[in-house]
Amino acid sequence: MNPIFIICFMLIHCILLPVNSLIYIIHPKCKIGKLMSLPCVKFISHFASYLSFIGMLIASSLRFAKEEKQLERFSHKYSNYFSNYTEYVENIDYVHQVDFSDFYIRSYKPSDLDLLITIWVIGQTWHEIKKLFQLGIYEYLYSPINIVNSLLNVLYIISYGLKYHTMILVASKLKQIETSKFWLDLGNLNETDLESQKNIYETFYWLNSDRFYWKSFDPINLSEGFFAIGNVIAFARLCYFLPISQQLGPLEITLGKMINDIFKFICIFIIVFTSFLFSLNNLYLYYNTEIRKKVEVSAPYNHEEEAENPFLTKAELGFGS
């Protein structure tokens, strides 16, 4: 078959993949549905879908800095309440107290990329669930790629679950500070009412986008940690598609069969390296500062500095100089 025709078919299919997928879901027995059922077309569809997912991950990472610049400042968005907030910050008698005079408000709306990635993850999760029911738990777990897919889905579900949870919290806190009751409670706050202090502190904590004031286990920090781990696995999963390449496929298969030999070589290298490590430690143990202090009455050089050339000293001793 003409290679140009194959390339054109693949490009057209990748462009029309969302439409073809919907047609396949609605009417799998039609011509397009039967075409989508062909093994080669299935592979192209999965590969194109996964490449688009990788592209969305890259775009999401690159877009993060731009999203941070679009945050709204509290003093600008709520200028009519800012004087009340300033009075609250300047009061140092509270146990639970914020120490930022102004701040940018956290994002409380998911971006279009977040929604697209979420839809893809939901679809991939549903695909894995169907495969699990079709194959059974034992046969499903027998394949390493299935385990990797499940782990990938779990990581992204946790990541975006934490992210959306934080967005919901921020949106609820914004609605809370827009009520007159909140500012009335803030004005009537006293030093003994620790519960009210804590509630108000948590309100401003969830609104502040400055990570310097965040807790270590803030949901966004955890979300980005899981997202980063998921990205590593997602990019590593591209190796699953390498065997289709005439150049990279044999190389990957050969490397996979060499893994055991590589580990054996590493073990031998570690043994040799460890032997040299202990030998050098015995040779140069004396030149440790703490040991020299215990054996030298008058030091020929400053104890705070290492010997100028301990290698030369040992060489002189070895040759009888």
Side-chain angles (χ1 to χ4, degrees):
M1 190 177 289
N2 192 343
I4 298 177
F5 173 78
I6 296 175
I7 294 173
C8 292
F9 170 77
M10 292 175 62
L11 290 175
I12 294 172
H13 177 70
C14 292
I15 294 171
L16 299 177
L17 182 59
V19 179
N20 292 342
S21 300
L22 286 174
I23 295 173
Y24 176 76
I25 293 172
I26 296 170
H27 190 23
K29 300 296 183 180
C30 66
K31 290 184 178 180
I32 295 179
K34 291 179 179 179
L35 178 67
M36 293 287 289
S37 301
L38 295 175
C40 61
V41 178
K42 274 187 177 181
F43 178 81
I44 295 172
S45 302
H46 283 290
F47 186 57
S49 173
Y50 196 75
L51 282 183
S52 64
F53 174 64
I54 294 295
M56 287 188 290
L57 294 180
I58 296 173
S60 178
S61 300
L62 296 176
R63 192 175 176 179
F64 174 75
K66 294 182 179 179
E67 289 180 351
E68 291 293 313
K69 293 179 181 179
Q70 297 174 357
L71 298 176
E72 296 178 286
R73 195 164 179 169
F74 181 79
S75 58
H76 296 165
K77 185 176 178 64
Y78 299 101
S79 56
N80 50 334
Y81 298 131
F82 188 66
S83 58
N84 304 70
Y85 173 76
T86 304
E87 293 177 5
Y88 163 70
V89 173
E90 291 175 351
N91 193 326
I92 60 174
D93 297 328
Y94 300 138
V95 176
H96 301 284
Q97 173 68 299
V98 298
D99 55 351
F100 37 87
S101 58
D102 196 6
F103 57 91
Y104 286 95
I105 301 173
R106 291 200 204 200
S107 175
Y108 54 93
K109 294 180 181 178
S111 64
D112 49 356
L113 276 174
D114 289 334
L115 295 175
L116 288 174
I117 293 174
T118 303
I119 293 171
W120 193 94
V121 171
I122 292 172
Q124 185 68 15
T125 304
W126 176 246
H127 174 71
E128 293 301 319
I129 292 173
K130 286 177 61 180
K131 190 189 296 185
L132 177 62
F133 277 98
Q134 290 172 358
L135 300 178
I137 183 68
Y138 295 107
E139 190 173 350
Y140 179 83
L141 294 177
Y142 184 77
S143 174
I145 191 64
N146 291 336
I147 299 175
V148 172
N149 290 341
S150 299
L151 178 61
L152 191 65
N153 293 334
V154 169
L155 287 171
Y156 283 120
I157 288 172
I158 295 174
S159 174
Y160 277 94
L162 290 170
K163 192 171 186 178
Y164 291 141
H165 167 71
T166 305
M167 289 180 178
I168 293 171
L169 272 177
V170 173
S172 66
K173 298 301 180 183
L174 284 175
K175 290 182 180 179
Q176 184 179 346
I177 66 172
E178 290 174 356
T179 61
S180 57
K181 181 180 181 302
F182 174 81
W183 297 104
L184 184 63
D185 294 340
L186 182 66
N188 297 330
L189 194 63
N190 57 65
E191 293 81 0
T192 58
D193 192 354
L194 298 181
E195 187 65 27
S196 298
Q197 290 181 28
K198 187 176 181 181
N199 291 336
I200 292 174
Y201 167 80
E202 289 180 352
T203 298
F204 289 116
Y205 170 83
W206 289 111
L207 294 179
N208 188 11
S209 65
D210 190 349
R211 300 185 180 221
F212 178 80
Y213 300 99
W214 289 5
K215 299 174 183 177
S216 300
F217 291 98
D218 187 272
I220 294 297
N221 290 337
L222 295 176
S223 170
E224 292 180 353
F226 285 113
F227 187 76
I229 298 172
N231 288 349
V232 173
I233 298 176
F235 277 89
R237 191 177 176 275
L238 285 172
C239 297
Y240 174 71
F241 298 100
L242 290 182
I244 65 172
S245 171
Q246 295 180 353
Q247 289 76 26
L248 299 177
L251 181 62
E252 184 190 5
I253 295 171
T254 304
L255 185 61
K257 293 182 178 180
M258 290 173 57
I259 290 295
N260 291 334
D261 296 328
I262 293 173
F263 278 121
K264 292 176 184 177
F265 172 77
I266 291 174
C267 291
I268 296 173
F269 177 79
I270 290 174
I271 292 172
V272 176
F273 180 79
T274 305
S275 65
F276 274 92
L277 180 67
F278 283 103
S279 300
L280 290 173
N281 179 69
N282 291 335
L283 283 175
Y284 296 102
L285 184 64
Y286 170 78
Y287 295 96
N288 183 279
T289 304
E290 297 299 324
I291 294 178
R292 292 204 313 270
K293 286 181 180 179
K294 295 178 181 179
V295 298
E296 294 176 353
V297 177
S298 58
Y301 43 79
N302 191 349
H303 281 302
E304 300 300 327
E305 300 176 357
E306 292 295 326
E308 292 183 2
N309 196 340
F311 292 95
L312 180 60
T313 305
K314 283 294 178 184
E316 291 174 351
L317 290 175
F319 288 102
S321 301

